[in-house]
Amino acid sequence: MTAAGRDAFYAWLRPQDQERITARWGNFPGDIAPLGRDAVRLGGMQLGNIYIGVQPMIGMPGDPMRLLFDRENTPHHQFALFYKYIAEDFAADAIVHLGMHGTAEWMPGVQLGPTADCWPDVLLGSVPNFYVYPINNPAEANIAKRRGYSTIIGHAIPPYGRAGLYRELQALRDLIQDSGFRIQDSEGSEQSTEHRAQSTEHRTQNLEPRTQTRHDPVAAQHAAPIDPTGHHAAQSQNQGTIELGNHEHSAQCISSDEEAILQKIALLNLDSDLVRGSDEAFSAFAARVYRYLRELEQTLIIDSLHELGTAPPPEQQLSLIVEALKIGRDGNAGLADVIADGKLQLADYAALLTHARAGDGVAQAQREQIETVCNTFVERAIIRQEALELVAAELQLAGVIARLQPLMQHGTQMLVALRDNTQEIGYLLKGLAGGYIPGAPGGDLIRDGLAVLPTGRNIHSLDPFRIPGESAYKRGIRIAEALISAHRSENAGAYPETIAQVLWGLDTIKTKGESSRSCWG
């Protein structure tokens, strides 16, 4: 374990920097990582000609942004000596930062054109700095370039997957299933919870389009199965409910089922999200809990870790390619829009998603069906490279095959690019050898697709010729329309007299200009 002593503090830092640190943190060695009264621990070790260190904490729990905006602030003794040790004692030829959200580039100083008195310049100004940074955060990568003098080595994000349910969440769903409840959709279609809980691959039941189906309360009452107490199961428009199965349940058993479900919800701290209404039947409440769990289960999350310089196998890229193809590009509709139209005759997939997120049981089931077909299409037509005509025919999409063709081509190109994306370490070694690392746009693999591949390049934050992007153009219009609609619904149909829109740089970079398009829309 390395350390730096009092003599190093006075030898490696200029007198004015010593004074600033002492005024903020007290006399050397300060209260952070002292090693006796005359040294500080640095938290690193040397392996041959490589020093591996852990960047010190900033020492400001609870309010870290003070570090950037309080100009009187400074790094503490250990932080300053950590970087000075690397430059002065170890005499490094280069620094490689690994991991997003380091803090050296956020140290106090001016935002543009750092001077010799700015702390990023004091700490990093004398040694070449390479920063291995995820490609989907170009905004903050640009701060590392602008204030930390970094050359960025953009790395790919890990593969995506569905969140699924685990431990107590799975146990809650099992409770509902084991209680013998049955899901009753608003259109009268009926399934046991056991069947509804099957994997997405098996959720391909036929569903009528929302635009062609309407709920008939009278017909539903006659069609509803009767539970053992002789009462019709409750149903409501655009919501699923749960009814008892055909086997016997005593009143005591039913009460214990309800109590067990409520206790499990409280144990999971979901009782604030899942509040039972004062006049809400327990069957309707249980259905709402079940829909909530299904929504959690389908959430897209990062599925594993990214190994620098390697590409995951194609089967692990399935979710990533599916989500990327859902984004409309070059005048072509996204995959989910094409399948919604071709499979269910639904012209507005975005509206379907809105209903599904609001808890509409029918919309959720339709969304899951579309999701299943999307996954099947990508797996067979792109990953397995089966004939498009065969796949479209078996998925009952022959009528939209012309619209599927460009999607298959883009997905195939993306799969090849992901499979060959193994040059991140090569670019880093090239930079360390003094070679040129080409620039490239940063962005999200789902929204930007092929534009951000291959990774390993020196990403930049903003390409004005790509703002707003095509999908951001459409999303911005929907955001503007939703904003005006919300105002009118709250103000007796009156339009707003003025609208203020914040054009935030970070948001513009990440969304490719949604907010700016909202203004123009």
Side-chain angles (χ1 to χ4, degrees), residues 343-423:
K343 189 80 173 176
L344 299 178
Q345 293 75 54
L346 294 173
D348 193 346
Y349 179 67
L352 174 69
L353 291 180
T354 300
H355 286 293
R357 294 188 185 109
D360 186 324
V362 172
Q364 286 182 340
Q366 290 178 322
R367 182 193 60 185
E368 290 172 13
Q369 182 181 4
I370 293 169
E371 184 70 30
T372 298
V373 178
C374 286
N375 280 278
T376 303
F377 174 81
V378 170
E379 182 176 4
R380 294 184 58 185
I382 295 174
I383 294 179
R384 296 183 190 173
Q385 297 183 343
E386 298 182 23
L388 175 60
E389 293 76 10
L390 174 64
V391 175
E394 294 186 6
L395 294 177
Q396 301 176 2
L397 295 171
V400 291
I401 193 169
R403 300 168 67 188
L404 292 172
Q405 185 72 42
L407 293 169
M408 187 189 73
Q409 292 175 351
H410 184 88
T412 301
Q413 292 172 353
M414 191 169 183
L415 178 64
V416 172
L418 289 168
R419 182 191 61 202
D420 297 339
N421 192 42
T422 58
Q423 58 275 58

Side-chain angles (χ1 to χ4, degrees), residues 229-364:
T229 63
H231 295 89
H232 289 287
Q235 300 186 63
S236 62
Q237 185 173 4
N238 290 335
Q239 289 186 342
T241 62
I242 294 183
E243 59 166 317
L244 293 173
N246 294 327
H247 51 284
E248 292 292 331
H249 277 271
S250 67
Q252 181 178 2
C253 179
I254 295 172
S255 176
S256 65
D257 288 341
E258 294 179 5
E259 182 179 0
I261 291 171
L262 292 172
Q263 287 179 348
K264 186 65 70 176
I265 290 173
L267 178 65
L268 287 162
N269 295 318
L270 295 177
D271 38 1
S272 59
D273 292 341
L274 299 170
V275 179
R276 183 183 178 187
S278 58
D279 58 348
E280 184 178 20
F282 192 82
S283 59
F285 173 68
R288 186 157 55 84
V289 174
Y290 197 82
R291 292 194 303 271
Y292 178 90
L293 295 174
R294 287 168 61 192
E295 193 73 18
L296 286 181
E297 186 177 15
Q298 293 302 311
T299 301
L300 197 67
I301 63 170
I302 288 176
D303 193 39
S304 60
L305 296 177
H306 173 63
E307 185 177 341
L308 195 67
T310 66
E315 56 270 17
Q316 290 188 20
Q317 303 285 15
L318 175 64
S319 294
L320 175 60
I321 296 175
V322 168
E323 295 304 316
L325 291 183
K326 289 180 181 178
I327 304 295
R329 293 182 177 86
D330 302 323
N332 300 309
L335 180 60
D337 295 278
V338 173
I339 290 175
D341 186 17
K343 189 80 173 176
L344 299 178
Q345 293 75 54
L346 294 173
D348 193 346
Y349 179 67
L352 174 69
L353 291 180
T354 300
H355 286 293
R357 294 188 185 109
D360 186 324
V362 172
Q364 286 182 340

Side-chain angles (χ1 to χ4, degrees), residues 79-333:
F79 199 107
L81 288 177
F82 175 80
Y83 280 97
K84 284 302 179 181
Y85 169 83
I86 292 173
E88 303 291 341
D89 191 305
F90 183 70
D93 296 309
I95 297 175
V96 179
H97 280 97
L98 291 167
M100 184 173 64
H101 291 311
T103 50
E105 64 268 23
W106 297 88
M107 286 290 165
V110 299
Q111 294 300 304
L112 294 172
T115 69
D117 291 327
C118 296
W119 283 106
D121 187 274
V122 173
L123 302 176
L124 297 168
S126 61
V127 183
N129 178 20
F130 296 89
Y131 209 143
V132 181
Y133 217 89
I135 60 169
N136 64 342
N137 192 359
E140 290 176 353
N142 198 54
I143 293 175
K145 295 175 72 171
R146 188 178 72 239
R147 305 190 78 243
Y149 309 141
S150 301
T151 297
I152 302 297
I153 308 295
H155 72 77
I157 58 175
Y160 283 109
R162 297 294 169 184
L165 299 177
Y166 60 93
R167 296 185 182 178
E168 297 302 322
L169 289 171
Q170 178 67 56
L172 175 57
R173 190 178 72 175
D174 291 344
L175 268 177
I176 298 176
Q177 292 175 214
D178 295 342
S179 299
F181 293 131
R182 298 177 68 84
I183 295 291
Q184 182 76 29
D185 285 336
S186 64
E187 311 304 332
S189 60
E190 176 185 322
Q191 290 181 320
S192 69
T193 51
E194 180 180 2
H195 179 73
R196 294 293 289 258
Q198 291 175 353
S199 62
T200 302
E201 288 78 1
H202 300 293
R203 293 192 185 116
T204 56
Q205 65 271 29
N206 292 325
L207 294 169
E208 292 297 321
R210 288 179 52 81
T211 55
Q212 299 178 5
T213 332
R214 293 292 182 269
H215 177 69
D216 185 344
V218 177
Q221 184 181 20
H222 291 293
I226 298 177
D227 71 23
T229 63
H231 295 89
H232 289 287
Q235 300 186 63
S236 62
Q237 185 173 4
N238 290 335
Q239 289 186 342
T241 62
I242 294 183
E243 59 166 317
L244 293 173
N246 294 327
H247 51 284
E248 292 292 331
H249 277 271
S250 67
Q252 181 178 2
C253 179
I254 295 172
S255 176
S256 65
D257 288 341
E258 294 179 5
E259 182 179 0
I261 291 171
L262 292 172
Q263 287 179 348
K264 186 65 70 176
I265 290 173
L267 178 65
L268 287 162
N269 295 318
L270 295 177
D271 38 1
S272 59
D273 292 341
L274 299 170
V275 179
R276 183 183 178 187
S278 58
D279 58 348
E280 184 178 20
F282 192 82
S283 59
F285 173 68
R288 186 157 55 84
V289 174
Y290 197 82
R291 292 194 303 271
Y292 178 90
L293 295 174
R294 287 168 61 192
E295 193 73 18
L296 286 181
E297 186 177 15
Q298 293 302 311
T299 301
L300 197 67
I301 63 170
I302 288 176
D303 193 39
S304 60
L305 296 177
H306 173 63
E307 185 177 341
L308 195 67
T310 66
E315 56 270 17
Q316 290 188 20
Q317 303 285 15
L318 175 64
S319 294
L320 175 60
I321 296 175
V322 168
E323 295 304 316
L325 291 183
K326 289 180 181 178
I327 304 295
R329 293 182 177 86
D330 302 323
N332 300 309

